[in-house]
Amino acid sequence: IPAMGEIAQGMVRDVLNAYASRDQQLAVDVIERDEKLDNFYNSIFRNLVSHMMENPATISSAAQLLFVARNLERIGDHATNVAEMVFYAATGRYFTDRGFIEDGEK
């Protein structure tokens, strides 16, 4: 979870810098880091659920850790959304999972 926090913090810092300078490459870097944060969350989720099943006495504390991990993952999602807006403001193109598309394309 601390590693997730560092990634999320870096994403927020970088997306604010990208916004201030309309830096499309920094925005793309933020967008690409979201997958790493998602993978961290999925791994933590699986591990904690397994741990809760093996030791029901840990359910309360493990659930709290799941909430923390989920909120860190959401911070990354919000930073990614802002990065996509920065990319559009800088280039006039929408960023999608497949890269970018010109305004008006589908």
XYZ file of all heavy atoms in Angstrom:
837
model
N 0.826 -1.198 0.000
C 0.000 0.000 0.000
C 0.871 1.264 0.000
O 0.528 2.210 -0.711
C -1.020 -0.038 1.159
C -2.075 -1.109 0.848
C -1.683 1.326 1.338
C -3.162 -1.262 1.852
N 1.984 1.300 0.737
C 2.827 2.502 0.636
C 3.336 2.749 -0.791
O 3.415 3.902 -1.227
C 3.979 2.211 1.593
C 3.400 1.283 2.609
C 2.460 0.411 1.822
N 3.657 1.685 -1.525
C 4.096 1.853 -2.911
C 2.971 2.423 -3.766
O 3.213 3.259 -4.651
C 4.578 0.519 -3.473
N 1.747 1.973 -3.511
C 0.595 2.539 -4.224
C 0.469 4.029 -3.925
O 0.189 4.823 -4.826
C -0.706 1.850 -3.807
C -0.975 0.528 -4.435
S -2.628 -0.082 -3.979
C -3.660 0.939 -5.024
N 0.658 4.384 -2.671
C 0.571 5.786 -2.279
C 1.611 6.639 -2.984
O 1.320 7.761 -3.417
N 2.820 6.099 -3.131
C 3.873 6.840 -3.824
C 3.542 7.027 -5.297
O 3.755 8.108 -5.858
C 5.210 6.125 -3.667
C 5.769 6.216 -2.256
C 7.079 5.458 -2.091
O 7.763 5.220 -3.112
O 7.402 5.118 -0.950
N 2.998 5.997 -5.925
C 2.625 6.101 -7.336
C 1.501 7.126 -7.493
O 1.560 7.994 -8.376
C 2.207 4.738 -7.914
C 3.403 3.795 -7.951
C 1.607 4.895 -9.312
C 3.036 2.354 -8.253
N 0.476 7.029 -6.655
C -0.653 7.964 -6.739
C -0.185 9.398 -6.491
O -0.597 10.329 -7.197
C -1.743 7.571 -5.745
N 0.685 9.583 -5.503
C 1.201 10.914 -5.207
C 1.981 11.466 -6.402
O 1.821 12.634 -6.775
C 2.098 10.856 -3.976
C 2.688 12.192 -3.586
C 3.606 12.074 -2.379
O 4.062 10.984 -2.023
N 3.873 13.181 -1.739
N 2.796 10.631 -7.010
C 3.545 11.060 -8.188
C 2.647 11.407 -9.352
O 2.901 12.370 -10.094
N 1.575 10.637 -9.520
C 0.628 10.921 -10.601
C -0.045 12.274 -10.388
O -0.182 13.059 -11.330
C -0.425 9.804 -10.694
C 0.109 8.498 -11.221
S -1.107 7.163 -11.162
C -2.222 7.663 -12.498
N -0.466 12.552 -9.168
C -1.120 13.831 -8.874
C -0.137 14.982 -9.088
O -0.460 15.980 -9.725
C -1.708 13.847 -7.446
C -2.159 15.241 -7.050
C -2.859 12.860 -7.343
N 1.079 14.837 -8.573
C 2.096 15.880 -8.745
C 2.345 16.135 -10.230
O 2.351 17.279 -10.698
C 3.389 15.470 -8.049
C 4.519 16.501 -8.167
C 5.852 15.983 -7.664
N 6.253 14.787 -8.410
C 6.406 13.582 -7.876
N 6.204 13.374 -6.589
N 6.769 12.561 -8.623
N 2.537 15.052 -10.986
C 2.863 15.202 -12.404
C 1.697 15.736 -13.227
O 1.904 16.507 -14.162
C 3.366 13.882 -12.973
C 4.751 13.516 -12.471
O 5.424 14.390 -11.875
O 5.157 12.354 -12.663
N 0.475 15.349 -12.883
C -0.653 15.852 -13.660
C -0.860 17.344 -13.380
O -1.243 18.104 -14.280
C -1.943 15.032 -13.444
C -2.666 15.407 -12.150
C -2.881 15.196 -14.626
N -0.566 17.778 -12.164
C -0.653 19.220 -11.880
C 0.420 19.983 -12.648
O 0.152 21.075 -13.184
C -0.533 19.479 -10.375
C -1.724 19.004 -9.534
C -1.414 19.156 -8.046
C -2.987 19.754 -9.914
N 1.618 19.416 -12.731
C 2.672 20.046 -13.532
C 2.318 20.042 -15.015
O 2.556 21.029 -15.718
C 4.014 19.351 -13.303
C 4.587 19.629 -11.940
O 4.326 20.681 -11.345
N 5.372 18.702 -11.418
N 1.753 18.937 -15.492
C 1.327 18.858 -16.893
C 0.245 19.888 -17.180
O 0.253 20.541 -18.235
C 0.827 17.448 -17.221
N -0.671 20.058 -16.245
C -1.745 21.044 -16.408
C -1.164 22.455 -16.480
O -1.539 23.244 -17.349
C -2.734 20.934 -15.241
C -3.809 21.982 -15.258
C -4.903 21.857 -16.103
C -3.736 23.092 -14.432
C -5.897 22.818 -16.131
C -4.720 24.057 -14.445
C -5.807 23.920 -15.297
O -6.775 24.876 -15.319
N -0.244 22.758 -15.571
C 0.324 24.108 -15.516
C 1.112 24.440 -16.781
O 1.096 25.595 -17.226
C 1.218 24.243 -14.284
N 1.762 23.436 -17.361
C 2.609 23.700 -18.530
C 2.018 23.188 -19.845
O 2.664 23.308 -20.888
C 3.982 23.069 -18.311
O 3.867 21.669 -18.188
N 0.821 22.614 -19.772
C 0.180 21.993 -20.945
C 1.132 21.026 -21.638
O 1.264 20.998 -22.851
C -0.314 23.044 -21.925
C -1.377 23.925 -21.339
C -2.516 24.054 -22.224
N -3.527 24.849 -21.508
C -4.604 25.278 -22.055
N -4.837 24.999 -23.305
N -5.477 25.959 -21.373
N 1.781 20.197 -20.818
C 2.778 19.239 -21.290
C 2.084 17.928 -21.647
O 1.741 17.130 -20.771
C 3.818 19.028 -20.184
C 4.964 18.118 -20.591
O 4.797 17.307 -21.524
O 6.016 18.213 -19.951
N 1.895 17.700 -22.946
C 1.165 16.512 -23.375
C 1.926 15.235 -23.057
O 1.308 14.220 -22.721
C 0.831 16.578 -24.860
C 2.018 16.334 -25.773
C 1.661 16.497 -27.221
O 1.103 17.497 -27.622
N 1.996 15.508 -28.010
N 3.255 15.232 -23.135
C 4.016 14.015 -22.860
C 3.931 13.633 -21.389
O 3.797 12.466 -21.049
C 5.477 14.162 -23.284
C 6.261 12.868 -23.141
C 5.608 11.693 -23.883
O 5.299 11.797 -25.070
N 5.368 10.600 -23.192
N 3.986 14.613 -20.499
C 3.846 14.327 -19.073
C 2.442 13.799 -18.782
O 2.273 12.887 -17.971
C 4.145 15.581 -18.244
C 4.267 15.401 -16.739
C 5.268 14.315 -16.376
C 4.641 16.727 -16.087
N 1.449 14.339 -19.476
C 0.075 13.833 -19.320
C -0.012 12.370 -19.755
O -0.637 11.551 -19.076
C -0.905 14.691 -20.118
N 0.627 12.030 -20.862
C 0.626 10.643 -21.343
C 1.339 9.742 -20.330
O 0.885 8.626 -20.055
C 1.278 10.535 -22.739
C 1.520 9.083 -23.141
C 0.413 11.239 -23.769
N 2.430 10.228 -19.752
C 3.141 9.443 -18.735
C 2.241 9.123 -17.543
O 2.257 8.016 -17.015
C 4.387 10.184 -18.246
C 5.462 10.311 -19.323
O 5.384 9.583 -20.333
O 6.366 11.149 -19.133
N 1.442 10.098 -17.130
C 0.502 9.891 -16.016
C -0.528 8.835 -16.410
O -0.815 7.912 -15.634
C -0.181 11.212 -15.616
C -1.337 10.956 -14.650
C 0.829 12.175 -14.994
N -1.068 8.947 -17.599
C -2.078 7.995 -18.073
C -1.511 6.574 -18.078
O -2.171 5.623 -17.642
C -2.581 8.399 -19.476
C -3.369 9.713 -19.398
C -3.430 7.286 -20.091
C -3.630 10.367 -20.742
N -0.277 6.435 -18.520
C 0.332 5.107 -18.597
C 0.606 4.505 -17.214
O 0.565 3.292 -17.050
C 1.620 5.182 -19.421
C 1.340 5.430 -20.895
C 2.583 5.692 -21.721
O 3.666 5.921 -21.130
O 2.453 5.678 -22.951
N 0.859 5.342 -16.216
C 1.106 4.828 -14.863
C -0.159 4.294 -14.201
O -0.085 3.538 -13.234
C 1.710 5.918 -13.982
C 3.207 5.980 -14.123
C 3.782 6.960 -13.166
N 3.807 8.245 -13.850
C 4.007 9.405 -13.270
N 4.187 9.481 -11.970
N 4.013 10.520 -13.959
N -1.321 4.670 -14.708
C -2.573 4.209 -14.099
C -2.687 2.694 -14.140
O -3.191 2.079 -13.199
C -3.778 4.860 -14.782
C -5.070 4.526 -14.076
O -5.141 4.718 -12.843
O -6.003 4.060 -14.746
N -2.196 2.074 -15.189
C -2.273 0.606 -15.283
C -1.451 -0.050 -14.170
O -1.874 -1.053 -13.593
C -1.782 0.136 -16.649
C -1.941 -1.354 -16.838
C -1.581 -1.822 -18.236
O -1.381 -0.991 -19.134
O -1.505 -3.050 -18.412
N -0.297 0.510 -13.857
C 0.528 -0.041 -12.779
C -0.208 0.052 -11.447
O -0.194 -0.887 -10.647
C 1.862 0.706 -12.703
C 2.826 0.136 -11.699
C 4.176 0.832 -11.768
C 5.146 0.189 -10.801
N 6.473 0.818 -10.846
N -0.870 1.178 -11.219
C -1.632 1.356 -9.983
C -2.806 0.375 -9.935
O -3.077 -0.220 -8.886
C -2.120 2.803 -9.879
C -2.520 3.306 -8.514
C -1.374 3.206 -7.518
C -2.984 4.749 -8.617
N -3.485 0.187 -11.058
C -4.590 -0.786 -11.120
C -4.094 -2.198 -10.818
O -4.757 -2.952 -10.098
C -5.254 -0.764 -12.496
C -6.018 0.514 -12.768
O -6.291 1.283 -11.821
O -6.338 0.767 -13.954
N -2.937 -2.554 -11.364
C -2.377 -3.888 -11.115
C -2.016 -4.077 -9.642
O -2.235 -5.150 -9.078
C -1.160 -4.139 -11.999
C -1.522 -4.279 -13.457
O -2.665 -4.577 -13.813
N -0.569 -4.041 -14.331
N -1.469 -3.024 -9.019
C -1.182 -3.070 -7.588
C -2.467 -3.335 -6.807
O -2.499 -4.185 -5.909
C -0.597 -1.739 -7.110
C 0.865 -1.758 -6.826
C 1.719 -0.969 -7.569
C 1.393 -2.525 -5.799
C 3.072 -0.957 -7.315
C 2.745 -2.522 -5.529
C 3.589 -1.731 -6.290
N -3.519 -2.596 -7.140
C -4.789 -2.754 -6.427
C -5.319 -4.173 -6.581
O -5.745 -4.797 -5.593
C -5.837 -1.746 -6.914
C -7.192 -2.030 -6.323
C -7.448 -1.779 -4.983
C -8.196 -2.595 -7.093
C -8.679 -2.070 -4.421
C -9.433 -2.886 -6.538
C -9.670 -2.625 -5.211
O -10.893 -2.927 -4.660
N -5.308 -4.683 -7.794
C -5.824 -6.041 -8.021
C -5.033 -7.074 -7.227
O -5.607 -8.013 -6.665
C -5.803 -6.373 -9.513
C -6.829 -5.572 -10.280
O -7.866 -5.172 -9.747
N -6.532 -5.301 -11.544
N -3.731 -6.909 -7.163
C -2.888 -7.838 -6.403
C -3.190 -7.753 -4.907
O -3.336 -8.784 -4.234
C -1.416 -7.513 -6.659
O -0.587 -8.318 -5.868
N -3.288 -6.543 -4.393
C -3.597 -6.355 -2.968
C -4.978 -6.922 -2.652
O -5.168 -7.582 -1.635
C -3.500 -4.869 -2.584
C -2.023 -4.454 -2.563
C -4.152 -4.594 -1.235
C -1.802 -2.965 -2.423
N -5.943 -6.681 -3.531
C -7.294 -7.186 -3.322
C -7.279 -8.708 -3.202
O -7.834 -9.271 -2.251
C -8.201 -6.744 -4.478
C -9.614 -7.213 -4.336
C -10.531 -6.493 -3.593
C -10.032 -8.390 -4.944
C -11.841 -6.939 -3.453
C -11.332 -8.842 -4.811
C -12.238 -8.112 -4.062
N -6.631 -9.370 -4.151
C -6.585 -10.843 -4.116
C -5.900 -11.342 -2.851
O -6.376 -12.278 -2.191
C -5.872 -11.378 -5.358
C -6.691 -11.336 -6.616
C -6.026 -12.092 -7.757
N -4.674 -11.642 -8.031
C -4.346 -10.642 -8.842
N -5.313 -9.981 -9.461
N -3.084 -10.310 -9.034
N -4.778 -10.741 -2.501
C -4.039 -11.180 -1.316
C -4.838 -10.973 -0.033
O -4.859 -11.841 0.842
C -2.694 -10.449 -1.219
C -1.709 -10.943 -2.241
O -1.748 -12.092 -2.655
N -0.819 -10.066 -2.670
N -5.482 -9.825 0.091
C -6.236 -9.559 1.320
C -7.477 -10.430 1.428
O -7.815 -10.896 2.521
C -6.602 -8.079 1.417
C -5.447 -7.148 1.786
C -5.892 -5.696 1.726
C -4.911 -7.477 3.174
N -8.151 -10.673 0.322
C -9.326 -11.545 0.369
C -8.902 -12.966 0.760
O -9.556 -13.601 1.590
C -10.094 -11.525 -0.967
C -11.127 -12.639 -1.022
C -10.766 -10.173 -1.165
N -7.803 -13.441 0.206
C -7.297 -14.762 0.585
C -6.947 -14.800 2.069
O -7.258 -15.768 2.771
C -6.056 -15.124 -0.228
O -6.390 -15.277 -1.575
N -6.303 -13.741 2.537
C -5.928 -13.663 3.949
C -7.164 -13.662 4.855
O -7.180 -14.329 5.895
C -5.090 -12.397 4.178
C -4.512 -12.287 5.542
N -3.553 -13.153 6.020
C -4.770 -11.415 6.543
C -3.249 -12.808 7.256
N -3.969 -11.762 7.603
N -8.204 -12.934 4.433
C -9.440 -12.897 5.233
C -10.111 -14.268 5.276
O -10.664 -14.649 6.308
C -10.414 -11.853 4.684
C -9.991 -10.427 4.956
S -11.239 -9.203 4.476
C -11.050 -9.170 2.719
N -10.057 -14.986 4.173
C -10.682 -16.312 4.139
C -9.919 -17.295 5.022
O -10.532 -18.145 5.672
C -10.753 -16.816 2.699
C -11.756 -16.045 1.865
S -11.702 -16.436 0.112
C -12.010 -18.172 0.094
N -8.606 -17.167 5.050
C -7.793 -18.065 5.868
C -7.875 -17.740 7.352
O -7.751 -18.631 8.189
C -6.328 -17.993 5.416
C -6.087 -18.563 4.047
C -4.704 -18.231 3.514
O -3.877 -17.662 4.253
O -4.461 -18.548 2.330
N -8.067 -16.480 7.684
C -8.085 -16.058 9.076
C -9.198 -15.020 9.273
O -8.947 -13.813 9.177
C -6.717 -15.466 9.453
C -6.606 -15.178 10.921
O -7.571 -15.320 11.670
N -5.439 -14.741 11.349
N -10.416 -15.473 9.540
C -11.554 -14.555 9.668
C -11.384 -13.470 10.733
O -12.040 -12.435 10.662
C -12.721 -15.479 10.022
C -12.323 -16.807 9.477
C -10.832 -16.868 9.646
N -10.494 -13.664 11.686
C -10.277 -12.638 12.714
C -9.673 -11.365 12.128
O -9.736 -10.306 12.751
C -9.372 -13.185 13.813
N -9.120 -11.461 10.926
C -8.482 -10.299 10.303
C -9.410 -9.530 9.365
O -8.979 -8.562 8.738
C -7.235 -10.724 9.511
O -7.649 -11.566 8.431
C -6.238 -11.454 10.388
N -10.652 -9.941 9.286
C -11.565 -9.338 8.307
C -11.691 -7.826 8.490
O -11.606 -7.066 7.524
C -12.948 -10.015 8.336
C -12.825 -11.419 7.742
C -13.994 -9.194 7.598
C -14.078 -12.254 7.823
N -11.860 -7.378 9.710
C -12.051 -5.947 9.945
C -10.833 -5.131 9.514
O -10.965 -4.147 8.778
C -12.355 -5.698 11.426
O -12.534 -4.317 11.654
N -9.656 -5.510 9.942
C -8.453 -4.740 9.583
C -8.129 -4.878 8.099
O -7.714 -3.910 7.452
C -7.268 -5.168 10.440
O -7.012 -6.541 10.287
N -8.328 -6.068 7.538
C -8.060 -6.259 6.116
C -9.037 -5.453 5.265
O -8.658 -4.904 4.224
C -8.123 -7.737 5.753
N -10.281 -5.368 5.703
C -11.270 -4.575 4.966
C -10.873 -3.099 4.962
O -11.030 -2.409 3.948
C -12.656 -4.750 5.569
N -10.346 -2.617 6.075
C -9.886 -1.230 6.127
C -8.735 -0.999 5.143
O -8.683 0.028 4.452
C -9.456 -0.847 7.545
C -10.589 -0.804 8.550
C -11.649 0.211 8.175
O -11.337 1.332 7.795
N -12.901 -0.181 8.279
N -7.826 -1.958 5.047
C -6.737 -1.852 4.086
C -7.259 -1.873 2.656
O -6.734 -1.174 1.780
C -5.720 -2.971 4.302
C -4.882 -2.880 5.576
C -4.046 -4.141 5.748
C -3.999 -1.641 5.550
N -8.298 -2.670 2.417
C -8.915 -2.688 1.083
C -9.494 -1.321 0.735
O -9.374 -0.865 -0.410
C -10.017 -3.748 1.006
C -9.569 -5.171 0.757
C -10.755 -6.122 0.842
C -8.898 -5.281 -0.603
N -10.123 -0.665 1.704
C -10.677 0.668 1.459
C -9.563 1.665 1.127
O -9.706 2.495 0.229
C -11.491 1.170 2.649
C -12.786 0.440 2.857
C -13.138 -0.015 4.112
C -13.663 0.216 1.812
C -14.333 -0.693 4.318
C -14.851 -0.459 1.996
C -15.192 -0.912 3.255
N -8.464 1.584 1.845
C -7.328 2.472 1.579
C -6.802 2.225 0.161
O -6.600 3.171 -0.618
C -6.213 2.276 2.624
C -4.954 3.028 2.220
C -6.679 2.716 4.004
N -6.594 0.956 -0.180
C -6.070 0.621 -1.505
C -7.034 1.080 -2.596
O -6.614 1.617 -3.628
C -5.824 -0.887 -1.609
N -8.323 0.897 -2.372
C -9.315 1.305 -3.365
C -9.295 2.813 -3.568
O -9.388 3.308 -4.699
C -10.710 0.842 -2.928
C -11.826 1.307 -3.821
C -11.755 0.633 -5.182
N -12.851 1.105 -6.008
C -12.730 1.402 -7.277
N -11.586 1.254 -7.893
N -13.744 1.840 -7.959
N -9.172 3.559 -2.490
C -9.150 5.012 -2.618
C -7.872 5.500 -3.292
O -7.918 6.465 -4.069
C -9.360 5.681 -1.260
C -10.809 5.603 -0.833
O -11.704 5.879 -1.610
N -11.036 5.210 0.404
N -6.756 4.855 -3.052
C -5.527 5.203 -3.771
C -5.682 4.921 -5.265
O -5.242 5.710 -6.109
C -4.330 4.438 -3.207
C -3.860 4.879 -1.822
C -2.827 3.887 -1.278
C -3.299 6.291 -1.862
N -6.324 3.826 -5.581
C -6.571 3.491 -6.986
C -7.480 4.537 -7.628
O -7.257 4.948 -8.769
C -7.187 2.084 -7.078
C -7.247 1.521 -8.481
C -8.524 1.891 -9.209
O -9.539 2.160 -8.546
O -8.489 1.924 -10.459
N -8.463 5.009 -6.892
C -9.370 6.051 -7.409
C -8.644 7.376 -7.600
O -8.938 8.115 -8.536
C -10.565 6.252 -6.468
C -11.544 5.114 -6.462
C -12.241 4.926 -7.817
N -12.982 6.119 -8.170
C -13.076 6.618 -9.406
N -12.483 6.044 -10.414
N -13.779 7.713 -9.642
N -7.702 7.698 -6.720
C -6.903 8.910 -6.899
C -6.170 8.826 -8.237
O -6.121 9.805 -9.000
C -5.918 9.096 -5.729
C -6.675 9.491 -4.461
C -4.843 10.131 -6.068
C -5.844 9.441 -3.191
N -5.625 7.655 -8.534
C -4.966 7.461 -9.825
C -5.925 7.625 -10.987
O -5.569 8.211 -12.018
N -7.150 7.129 -10.831
C -8.155 7.291 -11.888
C -8.480 8.767 -12.113
O -8.613 9.219 -13.257
C -9.439 6.533 -11.537
C -9.284 5.026 -11.615
O -8.303 4.555 -12.231
O -10.145 4.329 -11.051
N -8.612 9.523 -11.032
C -8.905 10.956 -11.168
C -7.735 11.688 -11.815
O -7.940 12.555 -12.671
C -9.234 11.570 -9.815
C -10.554 11.126 -9.258
N -11.747 11.283 -9.924
C -10.855 10.515 -8.099
C -12.730 10.800 -9.201
N -12.216 10.318 -8.075
N -6.504 11.353 -11.427
C -5.329 11.969 -12.048
C -5.297 11.646 -13.539
O -4.961 12.509 -14.367
C -4.050 11.496 -11.366
N -5.674 10.420 -13.893
C -5.721 10.016 -15.295
C -6.768 10.820 -16.055
O -6.521 11.262 -17.187
C -6.012 8.505 -15.401
O -4.939 7.804 -14.760
C -6.130 8.054 -16.839
N -7.926 11.032 -15.454
C -8.962 11.835 -16.109
C -8.472 13.254 -16.377
O -8.700 13.807 -17.460
C -10.233 11.871 -15.257
C -10.934 10.537 -15.202
O -10.710 9.662 -16.036
N -11.783 10.357 -14.205
N -7.797 13.852 -15.399
C -7.259 15.197 -15.595
C -6.187 15.165 -16.684
O -6.134 16.055 -17.536
C -6.709 15.773 -14.272
C -6.011 17.104 -14.512
C -7.831 15.930 -13.252
N -5.339 14.134 -16.681
C -4.299 14.015 -17.700
C -4.900 13.920 -19.101
O -4.369 14.500 -20.056
C -3.409 12.800 -17.422
N -6.014 13.214 -19.232
C -6.688 13.133 -20.528
C -7.205 14.504 -20.959
O -7.137 14.857 -22.140
C -7.814 12.108 -20.478
C -7.304 10.679 -20.402
C -8.390 9.653 -20.162
O -9.558 10.038 -19.910
O -8.083 8.450 -20.213
N -7.690 15.292 -20.000
C -8.139 16.655 -20.322
C -6.960 17.539 -20.713
O -7.074 18.365 -21.625
C -8.893 17.250 -19.139
C -10.255 16.624 -18.896
S -11.109 17.448 -17.545
C -11.148 16.144 -16.345
N -5.838 17.374 -20.034
C -4.631 18.133 -20.367
C -4.171 17.772 -21.775
O -3.820 18.639 -22.576
C -3.501 17.874 -19.344
C -2.171 18.432 -19.824
C -3.868 18.461 -17.987
N -4.176 16.480 -22.093
C -3.780 16.023 -23.423
C -4.670 16.678 -24.474
O -4.174 17.181 -25.489
C -3.868 14.498 -23.514
C -3.395 13.955 -24.833
C -2.047 13.697 -25.033
C -4.287 13.706 -25.855
C -1.600 13.199 -26.255
C -3.855 13.211 -27.070
C -2.501 12.964 -27.276
N -5.963 16.713 -24.226
C -6.885 17.334 -25.183
C -6.613 18.831 -25.310
O -6.583 19.380 -26.417
C -8.342 17.091 -24.775
C -9.303 17.724 -25.745
C -9.594 17.108 -26.956
C -9.895 18.952 -25.471
C -10.449 17.685 -27.871
C -10.756 19.537 -26.380
C -11.024 18.910 -27.582
O -11.862 19.488 -28.490
N -6.401 19.500 -24.183
C -6.149 20.940 -24.215
C -4.859 21.250 -24.976
O -4.772 22.268 -25.668
C -6.072 21.491 -22.794
N -3.867 20.378 -24.861
C -2.575 20.622 -25.504
C -2.571 20.252 -26.982
O -1.840 20.854 -27.768
C -1.477 19.847 -24.776
N -3.381 19.252 -27.361
C -3.280 18.721 -28.723
C -4.554 18.864 -29.553
O -4.494 18.745 -30.772
C -2.928 17.221 -28.695
O -4.011 16.497 -28.122
C -1.648 16.969 -27.921
N -5.702 19.030 -28.898
C -6.962 19.035 -29.626
C -7.422 17.642 -30.013
O -8.341 17.473 -30.804
N -6.778 16.617 -29.447
C -7.132 15.224 -29.730
C -7.525 14.542 -28.434
O -7.008 14.871 -27.371
C -5.954 14.480 -30.360
C -5.528 15.057 -31.688
C -4.303 14.372 -32.191
N -3.215 14.648 -31.255
C -1.938 14.508 -31.531
N -1.554 14.068 -32.698
N -1.009 14.779 -30.638
N -8.431 13.578 -28.544
C -8.837 12.788 -27.385
C -7.886 11.619 -27.214
O -7.507 10.968 -28.183
C -10.259 12.247 -27.555
C -11.310 13.313 -27.528
C -11.879 13.773 -28.714
C -11.715 13.869 -26.332
C -12.833 14.759 -28.690
C -12.675 14.865 -26.307
C -13.235 15.313 -27.487
O -14.166 16.299 -27.468
N -7.533 11.336 -25.977
C -6.702 10.177 -25.675
C -7.625 9.030 -25.313
O -8.515 9.163 -24.493
C -5.756 10.468 -24.504
C -4.644 9.486 -24.384
C -3.437 9.731 -25.012
C -4.797 8.305 -23.677
C -2.390 8.824 -24.930
C -3.765 7.396 -23.597
C -2.562 7.652 -24.216
N -7.398 7.862 -25.922
C -8.199 6.675 -25.618
C -7.265 5.544 -25.240
O -6.050 5.696 -25.259
C -9.041 6.230 -26.838
O -8.159 5.748 -27.844
C -9.879 7.373 -27.384
N -7.823 4.393 -24.934
C -7.010 3.220 -24.609
C -6.117 2.811 -25.778
O -5.092 2.184 -25.593
C -7.893 2.035 -24.221
C -8.615 2.267 -22.909
O -8.160 3.113 -22.121
O -9.640 1.602 -22.679
N -6.512 3.182 -26.972
C -5.757 2.809 -28.166
C -4.788 3.912 -28.593
O -4.215 3.850 -29.657
C -6.719 2.516 -29.298
C -7.678 1.373 -29.026
C -8.662 1.166 -30.160
N -9.284 2.378 -30.632
C -10.379 2.924 -30.115
N -10.981 2.356 -29.104
N -10.888 4.026 -30.616
N -4.623 4.931 -27.800
C -3.776 6.049 -28.181
C -4.606 7.311 -28.206
O -5.288 7.618 -27.255
N -4.606 8.006 -29.331
C -5.414 9.215 -29.407
C -6.190 9.221 -30.724
O -5.852 8.546 -31.667
C -4.537 10.484 -29.306
C -3.506 10.606 -30.390
C -3.832 11.170 -31.600
C -2.223 10.141 -30.190
C -2.879 11.286 -32.600
C -1.272 10.259 -31.179
C -1.600 10.820 -32.401
N -7.247 10.003 -30.733
C -8.051 10.180 -31.937
C -8.248 11.661 -32.167
O -8.203 12.469 -31.247
C -9.432 9.464 -31.833
C -10.230 9.955 -30.629
C -9.258 7.959 -31.763
C -11.633 9.399 -30.559
N -8.422 12.017 -33.410
C -8.668 13.421 -33.752
C -10.058 13.837 -33.263
O -10.959 13.005 -33.160
C -8.573 13.624 -35.268
C -7.216 13.311 -35.843
C -6.121 14.253 -35.374
O -6.419 15.425 -35.086
O -4.975 13.804 -35.293
N -10.224 15.093 -32.994
C -11.515 15.624 -32.579
C -12.528 15.332 -33.693
O -12.272 15.586 -34.861
C -11.414 17.128 -32.348
C -12.614 17.683 -31.618
O -13.418 16.890 -31.099
O -12.731 18.924 -31.561
N -13.652 14.759 -33.340
C -14.695 14.444 -34.294
C -14.666 13.015 -34.795
O -15.629 12.536 -35.363
N -13.543 12.293 -34.625
C -13.483 10.883 -35.022
C -14.218 10.035 -33.994
O -14.442 10.446 -32.886
C -12.036 10.391 -35.078
C -11.249 10.896 -36.239
C -9.860 10.292 -36.252
O -9.724 9.087 -35.959
O -8.918 11.013 -36.570
N -14.554 8.829 -34.390
C -15.206 7.917 -33.450
C -14.421 6.671 -33.301
O -13.711 6.194 -34.035
C -16.620 7.611 -33.895
C -17.470 8.850 -33.830
C -18.914 8.522 -33.893
C -19.645 9.847 -33.838
N -20.898 9.895 -33.444
